[in-house]
Amino acid sequence: WDAMEASRKIISANWFSAFGFLLLLTLINLAGLLVFCVGMIFTIPLTMMATYCAWKDITGYGSDEEEDIVHHLVD
């Protein structure tokens, strides 16, 4: 439950940009689907990498200082 609450707090601060980002990724995946599903081989890993980079950017986790993720996200 704590993880869901932390996620809600993070996304509520950046709701429109998160929605636009996910909409863009959906459109990219649909374009890959239209290319006889072969494009999905490239767009799905791209989507996964972009989502991870966005999460890392928003949370700031994984920087030089090591700290507990619970304290980092929920403060």
Side-chain angles (χ1 to χ4, degrees):
W1 188 258
D2 291 336
M4 290 177 61
E5 185 65 22
S7 177
R8 183 193 63 80
K9 286 179 183 178
I10 291 170
I11 292 300
S12 65
N14 302 307
W15 196 87
F16 286 110
S17 45
F19 178 73
F21 179 69
L22 290 177
L23 184 64
L24 177 67
L25 292 178
T26 301
L27 292 174
I28 289 171
N29 282 327
L30 284 175
L33 183 66
L34 290 175
V35 186
F36 303 113
C37 297
V38 176
M40 297 292 281
I41 294 171
F42 301 103
T43 60
I44 289 176
L46 176 74
T47 300
M48 293 172 75
M49 288 186 293
T51 305
Y52 172 75
C53 289
W55 175 81
K56 190 174 176 182
D57 230 19
I58 290 171
T59 60
Y61 188 68
S63 60
D64 291 339
E65 309 113 22
E66 286 296 323
E67 59 183 79
D68 187 21
I69 189 157
V70 173
H71 293 105
H72 180 78
L73 295 176
V74 183
D75 284 338

